[in-house]
Amino acid sequence: QVQLVESGGGLVQAGGSLRLSCAASGRTSSSYTMAWFRQAPGKEREVVATITWSGGSTYYAGSVKGRFTISKDNTNNTVYLQMNSLKLEDTAVYYCASRMTALTPYQYWGQGTQVTVSS
């Protein structure tokens, strides 16, 4: 079992920045990939960024590339999402998730943290 707890969401003006944190506990050594997803009202959940625990390989959705940065702290079992140049369309509930291998679904999820970007 892996437990994930997100923090750092809030209200920010367009163009501003926020940093989300995801603290992992439990069998974190078995996690292969950590990811940030988001779900806006009336829309499907979408992947925002991913990072592998070991090598640190990253992936970004096209809509956030160049504005968001995913990073990890293996010592503290924490994954971060630095969000810069925020846009209105970034408003969503952001979720942290983990999976055991590159081929398995994301099995563990956090409770989500709300990010609201205002004009």
Side-chain angles (χ1 to χ4, degrees), residues 28-52:
T28 56
S29 61
S30 60
S31 293
Y32 176 78
T33 306
M34 300 294 294
W36 286 98
F37 287 77
R38 68 184 180 186
Q39 187 167 20
K43 295 187 177 182
E44 293 187 355
R45 187 175 297 184
E46 62 175 354
V47 62
V48 175
T50 69
I51 189 166
T52 57

Side-chain angles (χ1 to χ4, degrees), residues 2-7 20-25 31 33-39 45-46 48-49 51 53 70-71 77-81 93-99 106-113:
V2 176
Q3 295 79 42
L4 304 173
V5 179
E6 303 100 333
S7 61
L20 305 182
S21 299
C22 173
S25 60
S31 293
T33 306
M34 300 294 294
W36 286 98
F37 287 77
R38 68 184 180 186
Q39 187 167 20
R45 187 175 297 184
E46 62 175 354
V48 175
I51 189 166
W53 267 121
I70 189 170
S71 61
N77 292 327
T78 302
V79 175
Y80 303 97
L81 185 68
V93 178
Y94 284 71
Y95 298 90
C96 178
S98 73
R99 62 180 177 181
Y106 285 90
Q107 184 178 5
Y108 301 104
W109 294 83
Q111 81 287 354
T113 186

Side-chain angles (χ1 to χ4, degrees), residues 79-99:
V79 175
Y80 303 97
L81 185 68
Q82 178 67 44
M83 305 185 295
N84 299 328
S85 302
L86 282 161
K87 303 177 180 180
L88 297 178
E89 53 264 40
D90 294 320
T91 295
V93 178
Y94 284 71
Y95 298 90
C96 178
S98 73
R99 62 180 177 181

Side-chain angles (χ1 to χ4, degrees), residues 50-64:
T50 69
I51 189 166
T52 57
W53 267 121
S54 58
S57 297
T58 59
Y59 161 84
Y60 295 95
S63 58
V64 306

